[in-house]
Amino acid sequence: RALSVRTESRAEAPFPEMLSCRLLRSSQSLLGRKVYQKGSFLRQRYMSTAGKNIRNIGIIAHVDAGKTTTTERMLFYAGKIRNPGDVDTGTTVTDFLEEERKRGITIQSACTAFDWKNHQINLIDTPGHVDFTVEVERAVRVLDGAVAIVDAVSGVQAQTETVWRQADRHNVPRILFINKMDRDDGSVERSVESLKHRLPGKTPLIIQVADVKDGSLERVVDIRTMQVLEWQGEKGQTLVSTPLSEYAKASDILRQNAANARTSLLEMLAEVDDEFCELFLGVEDGNGIMLEDIDSALQRATQSMLGVPVLCGASLRNRGVQPLLDAICRYLPSPLDRPPKLLQTPYSTSSPTPDTHKEEAKSKPTKRKKKTKNSGGSLSEGSYAQAFKVTHDPHRGPLVFTRVYSGSLRVGGTVACVSPSEQKVVGMERIQKILQLHGDELTEIKELKAGDIAAIVGLKAVRTGYTLALEENKKKTKHDIPCWLPHDDFMPPVFYASIEADSGSDQRALDTALEQLMLEDPSLSVEEDKETGQTLLKGMGELHLEVVFNRLIKDFKVGARLGKMRVAYRETILQGTTYSKQLEHIIKGATSSAMVKLSILPVEGPITDPKHIIPIDINSDAWDKLELSLGEKMATTHVEEAIRSIRDAFSYGPSLGYPVIGVKVDIQDLEITPSSNPSTTGACTFQCAIDGLKQLPGQILEPIVKVSVRVPNEFMGAVLSEITSLRRGQVAEVSQLDKAGAAVCIIHAEIPLAEMVGYATALRASTQGNGTFEMSFLLYRHVGPDLQKKLIEDPYSV
């Protein structure tokens, strides 16, 4: 648990005030010792007042919901570009990669910045395809708010749920924009109902009523002001507002719908905001409530994440984007409005993200503190930033996409690059250039202030998630300890394929290119198959690996071949055991011995977390005995070595060599002589874990995905038959949807991921190109005995 120290804002303090992470030399300061051990909060409330007009937002949605199209309209109406680009023709600002323009989808997150009504909006356009979820994850971490876009016809879809939960996990307030309202079967009400059904927990606050006629979104009514909004001009540049009471074209149905929607909005605001509730109960009807009161309540509800303002439009038809920009400035928080970031230290006992690291927290012995050696780097209070993405520019070298949380970073300044995983400073580097981002266009600027997002040139040691700390006082002391901003690990890869160079001369180029791609994409990994010696390229899906391979061929000019797509299975155990091991080493003439006793047990229930971490703990009696024998410092070192060795042993299962999950380990006993080396403890524990696993009957686990297939009714029988008979799927539900007068069904099923390889092509063939599907990870499930036998006999046959 981190020590929270909150101070009142003072006008004379333009920079963050925070607890120093410098080791206090005075042993008399109890508060100093607590701060040194517990970490500190990085306050953002002492930025310049200009930070109040900054909005760091992201566009998140399912694939093909209209994220990039909406972004293009925002840039056009803000005057950033002369004409809005088109996804189909490959002329958009944020989709600038060749693969993006060829496929018509967003593959990597892209940044841009523009001004709107005295506000600076830093925008990140994110991918919507499940294979590129990691791009969304690392963008969401640095956002202050988000716009979630939903297709008015399809409503909430699989990837909508994924990105919505990512925003929930990082406490990012958001606005909901219901797009494609120009389609006959588009519906705000149906989209909101799908949100309530599939993503409960936040109250939708509808603030617009759409008037759609003959497949065209003619106008919307802003029910806050009861004004009719119409767009004029070839590209909707002119927004005309007319009071509903004076608007002659308004039908009686539209007037009644607007009146009902306003009443509903005020009632829901009263439910989620206590201050507005008192005001609401004090008037006879909603007409006595001022616009400022409604907007203030909407802002509080949004930033407290109790409510979500809902707007509608048709971005492709140039409808609804200007009011969306107004809502972003009006309701989403500035960097000043966000809660403080927690600075971690090697002595922090709290997990920065308890929701995603509960199991990892359990794995740490409760009676010891995690310690690491002092890195020797100098990290003083002042300016902190986080690198959330790294790309490679052929002319400039690494571009580090950075969000500044406190103070400022200037060209020529030196920053300490702190790795959260290594918990140390990995280098001190000079900022050569700072570049303002606009898709693939980069403009040099001299300084970044708190709340800004930009790219930095010159930081060769930085990786995704690193913290950048500027030492403003330029003093270095050996007592400084590293501090970093929280950062989580990404999901492990689920697909892999072998990759080989065409010739010996291509091998070095292939290795260099893969190293560069892994630097840019933390969800990509390369391993060597221990049995065959093949190089395995691992990623998040078929499309992910296909895009990577195409980049190798076209961007890096490497001659290579990609093997068949395969699925990353997992292994587990069916019963538990207790196993002990004793080991002696002679190191420099001295005997180093260790004895370890492990309890290995299966975890009950399904494994639904793809980032499952094995909980490891040490018996309290074993810890007390070890601490008494060696002292706290040495006992901690040996236990950490034992835990690391257990994780290493479980990373390669005995059946097929896949990671072992679904188990828990308890160190029952650990006997070490005072002269023993930690390496002996690690080797003994590693061998004990390996031997213990080999004694137990193994079970292979396969990933199961939740699949939704949308097809015309005439193809339903063929699709159902293929799912159940050819792809080992289990159909959960079949629902009907009236899509513009055509009968369409949605098939919800659970299918092994291995059976989804090539399904996109098969579905197009069986439905004459009219079928679509979406999928998301559900859980790991035991494979049947026949399949397990087949996998063990020939792993490459499946």
Side-chain angles (χ1 to χ4, degrees):
R1 296 169 186 153
L3 178 64
S4 171
V5 176
R6 300 178 181 271
T7 57
E8 295 297 325
S9 176
R10 298 200 304 269
E12 66 271 21
F15 296 104
E17 288 190 4
M18 49 181 284
L19 296 177
S20 174
C21 291
R22 185 182 299 277
L23 172 60
L24 302 181
R25 300 178 184 178
S26 171
S27 61
Q28 305 300 319
S29 172
L30 176 62
L31 177 61
R33 290 197 299 274
K34 286 183 178 178
V35 172
Y36 175 66
Q37 293 177 357
K38 302 293 186 179
S40 65
F41 271 108
L42 177 60
R43 301 295 293 174
Q44 302 180 114
R45 299 190 180 279
Y46 299 96
M47 304 179 195
S48 64
T49 54
K52 192 68 179 175
N53 291 334
I54 293 177
R55 297 293 183 271
N56 292 315
I57 67 163
I59 309 294
I60 59 175
H62 186 84
V63 65
D64 200 33
K67 298 181 300 300
T68 302
T69 301
T70 303
T71 300
E72 286 294 308
R73 269 50 182 186
M74 289 180 174
L75 293 172
F76 172 66
Y77 294 131
K80 189 74 174 182
I81 56 177
R82 291 187 177 181
N83 291 292
D86 184 73
V87 173
D88 295 331
T89 59
T91 56
T92 60
V93 171
T94 53
D95 286 352
F96 53 84
L97 292 180
E98 182 180 347
E99 283 291 315
E100 292 178 314
R101 291 176 172 173
K102 173 184 174 183
R103 298 173 184 274
I105 62 171
T106 302
I107 291 173
Q108 67 172 12
S109 57
C111 302
T112 185
F114 56 91
D115 294 331
W116 180 261
K117 296 184 178 179
N118 298 321
H119 287 76
Q120 175 188 328
I121 298 179
N122 299 317
L123 183 147
I124 302 179
D125 182 22
T126 66
H129 197 283
V130 64
D131 284 19
F132 308 108
T133 302
V134 169
E135 283 288 324
V136 184
E137 179 72 18
R138 59 180 176 176
V140 167
R141 290 172 177 171
V142 297
L143 298 178
D144 297 320
V147 175
I149 299 181
V150 169
D151 187 318
V153 178
S154 304
V156 172
Q157 297 169 275
Q159 194 63 8
T160 314
E161 295 185 41
T162 301
V163 298
W164 190 273
R165 293 190 176 109
Q166 285 175 308
D168 279 343
R169 189 163 58 249
H170 294 284
N171 298 316
V172 176
R174 69 219 69 146
I175 290 172
L176 184 67
F177 182 65
I178 300 176
N179 194 25
K180 302 187 180 181
M181 282 297 299
D182 54 313
R183 297 171 62 175
D184 287 336
D185 44 355
S187 169
V188 171
E189 292 73 19
R190 190 168 62 241
S191 298
V192 169
E193 284 303 314
S194 71
L195 178 71
K196 292 178 180 178
H197 175 67
R198 300 180 66 170
L199 294 167
K202 293 177 178 59
T203 302
L205 304 168
I206 300 175
I207 61 176
Q208 289 180 345
V209 171
D211 186 16
V212 181
K213 291 183 179 178
D214 300 325
S216 175
L217 179 63
E218 299 289 337
R219 59 192 65 84
V220 300
V221 179
D222 184 341
I223 59 177
R224 302 160 38 256
T225 60
M226 297 303 282
Q227 298 273 329
V228 178
L229 306 180
E230 290 183 296
W231 288 265
Q232 297 179 357
E234 181 184 355
K235 298 172 184 174
Q237 304 97 316
T238 305
L239 181 62
V240 179
S241 177
T242 308
L244 179 60
S245 58
E246 302 174 7
Y247 191 75
K249 295 181 182 178
S251 64
D252 292 339
I253 295 177
L254 180 62
R255 295 178 191 276
Q256 187 60 47
N257 288 343
N260 294 340
R262 180 179 173 86
T263 301
S264 177
L265 172 65
L266 298 181
E267 290 175 350
M268 287 188 289
L269 276 175
E271 290 180 4
V272 298
D273 186 75
D274 292 339
E275 185 176 335
F276 186 82
C277 181
E278 294 180 9
L279 182 64
F280 181 69
L281 295 176
V283 297
E284 284 190 20
D285 53 46
N287 294 329
I289 299 178
M290 302 294 291
L291 174 61
E292 292 78 6
D293 296 323
I294 296 175
D295 282 343
S296 295
L298 282 166
Q299 184 188 64
R300 290 191 297 270
T302 304
Q303 297 186 14
S304 64
M305 296 182 63
L306 295 175
V308 179
V310 179
L311 295 90
C312 61
S315 298
L316 187 62
R317 309 301 177 199
N318 309 306
R319 300 287 187 267
V321 177
Q322 297 100 320
L324 175 61
L325 286 168
D326 291 339
I328 288 170
C329 299
R330 193 178 291 129
Y331 306 129
L332 291 180
S334 73
L336 294 168
D337 300 320
R338 297 287 284 154
K341 282 283 183 177
L342 174 64
L343 277 175
Q344 298 289 297
T345 75
Y347 297 85
S348 299
T349 56
S350 67
S351 173
T353 51
D355 291 338
T356 56
H357 288 287
K358 287 178 181 177
E359 295 181 5
E360 185 175 13
K362 293 177 184 177
S363 70
K364 299 177 182 178
T366 56
K367 296 197 174 185
R368 62 188 179 88
K369 298 182 180 68
K370 186 177 182 182
K371 299 186 179 182
T372 59
K373 293 181 180 180
N374 191 325
S375 65
S378 176
L379 292 174
S380 309
E381 65 180 281
S383 301
Y384 282 85
Q386 189 168 46
F388 64 92
K389 181 176 178 176
V390 180
T391 63
H392 183 77
D393 185 283
H395 305 293
R396 300 180 177 89
L399 297 181
V400 179
F401 290 58
T402 304
R403 158 74 190 267
V404 181
Y405 284 97
S406 67
S408 61
L409 300 179
R410 302 175 184 85
V411 173
T414 300
V415 292
C417 308
V418 189
S419 167
S421 58
E422 299 179 53
Q423 300 186 352
K424 68 177 184 180
V425 178
V426 297
M428 302 289 293
E429 297 197 273
R430 181 177 174 272
I431 299 174
Q432 296 178 3
K433 293 180 181 179
I434 299 177
L435 304 173
Q436 184 71 57
L437 302 160
H438 180 56
D440 58 348
E441 297 178 10
L442 306 173
T443 305
E444 288 192 33
I445 57 177
K446 296 297 183 182
E447 182 181 20
L448 286 178
K449 296 183 179 180
D452 286 342
I453 293 177
I456 297 178
V457 177
L459 309 181
K460 297 181 180 179
V462 174
R463 302 292 181 267
T464 298
Y466 278 21
T467 295
L468 309 179
L470 180 68
E471 185 193 20
E472 293 183 337
N473 59 12
K474 303 298 181 182
K475 295 179 180 179
K476 298 180 181 180
T477 74
K478 63 181 181 180
H479 297 292
D480 286 348
I481 64 171
C483 305
W484 60 87
L485 293 159
H487 178 76
D488 307 334
D489 293 329
F490 296 107
M491 285 179 56
V494 293
F495 273 88
Y496 70 93
S498 63
I499 187 167
E500 297 177 356
D502 284 343
S503 63
S505 60
D506 284 319
Q507 186 61 52
R508 179 175 295 181
L510 176 61
D511 293 340
T512 302
L514 287 175
E515 183 178 350
Q516 186 61 58
L517 288 171
M518 286 190 292
L519 173 65
E520 295 185 9
D521 185 354
S523 65
L524 187 71
S525 65
V526 175
E527 294 181 10
E528 181 180 332
D529 191 308
K530 296 181 180 180
E531 294 183 1
T532 65
Q534 287 182 309
T535 299
L536 301 180
L537 183 64
K538 297 188 174 184
M540 303 307 296
E542 281 186 277
L543 180 60
H544 184 205
L545 293 184
E546 185 180 331
V547 167
V548 169
F549 180 70
N550 287 342
R551 287 197 62 192
L552 284 171
I553 303 299
K554 297 177 181 178
D555 297 348
F556 293 90
K557 311 300 181 184
V558 175
R561 301 183 301 275
L562 191 68
K564 183 180 177 181
M565 295 288 176
R566 305 187 187 280
V567 169
Y569 292 91
R570 294 291 185 267
E571 297 184 31
T572 190
I573 57 177
L574 299 176
Q575 63 188 55
T577 187
T578 300
Y579 197 81
S580 59
K581 187 80 175 179
Q582 186 165 356
L583 189 65
E584 284 190 3
H585 281 162
I586 305 297
I587 301 177
K588 295 182 179 181
T591 300
S592 178
S593 64
M595 191 285 293
V596 63
K597 183 178 181 181
L598 300 179
S599 171
I600 306 173
L601 298 171
V603 173
E604 296 181 0
I607 302 170
T608 58
D609 184 3
K611 297 192 292 185
H612 176 78
I613 299 172
I614 296 175
I616 304 173
D617 207 347
I618 182 170
N619 183 278
S620 58
D621 292 337
W623 169 258
D624 291 339
K625 184 173 68 173
L626 192 65
E627 185 180 27
L628 183 63
S629 171
L630 303 179
E632 181 183 1
K633 183 176 181 181
M634 284 303 299
T636 298
T637 301
H638 282 275
V639 170
E640 287 183 342
E641 185 66 25
I643 290 177
R644 184 192 63 80
S645 298
I646 292 170
R647 295 205 187 282
D648 287 346
F650 281 32
S651 66
Y652 193 83
S655 299
L656 290 176
Y658 290 107
V660 177
I661 62 173
V663 302
K664 56 184 178 181
V665 181
D666 188 46
I667 303 174
Q668 295 284 342
D669 197 8
L670 190 59
E671 294 182 2
I672 301 166
T673 58
S675 59
S676 291
N677 193 291
S679 62
T680 304
T681 302
C684 181
T685 307
F686 180 85
Q687 197 59 51
C688 182
I690 289 289
D691 293 346
L693 279 176
K694 288 181 178 179
Q695 283 195 343
L696 298 172
Q699 173 65 50
I700 298 174
L701 300 171
E702 63 177 344
I704 305 296
V705 290
K706 181 171 58 175
V707 181
S708 297
V709 186
R710 181 188 297 254
V711 295
N713 275 359
E714 58 187 291
F715 302 110
M716 180 175 65
V719 172
L720 284 171
S721 176
E722 181 176 359
I723 288 175
T724 55
S725 61
L726 299 180
R727 300 191 181 270
R728 298 190 289 124
Q730 299 177 6
V731 176
E733 180 187 1
V734 178
S735 57
Q736 294 291 329
L737 176 66
D738 183 19
K739 185 178 180 182
V744 175
C745 71
I746 302 177
I747 303 168
H748 302 279
E750 299 175 6
I751 306 176
L753 182 60
E755 304 296 342
M756 295 302 294
V757 176
Y759 185 61
T761 302
L763 182 63
R764 283 195 297 269
S766 62
T767 62
Q768 299 178 10
N770 293 307
T772 61
F773 78 96
E774 55 200 47
M775 67 179 183
S776 59
F777 176 82
L778 183 62
L779 50 80
Y780 284 104
R781 181 181 293 162
H782 292 187
V783 302
D786 293 340
L787 179 57
Q788 174 145 333
K789 181 180 178 181
K790 188 176 181 180
L791 282 168
I792 293 175
E793 291 176 352
D794 185 5
Y796 296 100
S797 65
V798 179

